[in-house]
Amino acid sequence: MTIKKPLLIKQPEVGQLIGELRGITSLTQEQFAASLGITYSTVKRCEKGHTKPSSLAMQKIQGMLEEMGLGQKVSMKYLSNKKAG
């Protein structure tokens, strides 16, 4: 059994990622929260940069990205400058 590590994205990038993903999927904050099993207020706080989703929520976000075929694109956009250090 292979265990995937969740995306390791810090704020404010994770908030930007959530906003972008919601835009692509046309989900409201409430709908997005329900799909991740978290509260609307958590999504709102994440997008505003006040908190970060749990590792389980990040795994679900990663799964959504992979299902949509966007995993590599997001990795390049949000993680490429972090790995170059």
Side-chain angles (χ1 to χ4, degrees):
M1 182 169 126
T2 304
I3 299 175
K4 284 187 165 184
K5 291 184 179 181
L7 291 172
L8 299 174
I9 304 173
K10 296 183 179 183
Q11 281 294 17
E13 289 88 1
V14 73
Q16 295 167 354
L17 167 62
I18 289 171
E20 186 175 333
L21 183 55
R22 280 194 328 99
I24 292 168
T25 59
S26 300
L27 295 175
T28 65
Q29 288 178 329
E30 293 89 352
Q31 293 167 330
F32 190 77
S35 71
L36 296 180
I38 60 177
T39 64
Y40 153 77
S41 60
T42 299
V43 172
K44 185 176 177 179
R45 287 193 316 264
C46 289
E47 283 191 27
K48 289 188 174 214
H50 298 294
T51 191
K52 185 177 176 189
S54 69
S55 60
L56 180 58
M58 288 300 293
Q59 287 176 342
K60 290 180 180 181
I61 290 170
Q62 186 173 359
M64 289 174 81
L65 292 167
E66 290 174 3
E67 285 178 21
M68 297 168 62
L70 298 173
Q72 186 69 21
K73 181 180 177 184
V74 168
S75 292
M76 295 286 289
K77 182 174 182 178
Y78 291 100
L79 300 175
S80 62
N81 61 350
K82 311 247 183 306
K83 291 180 179 179

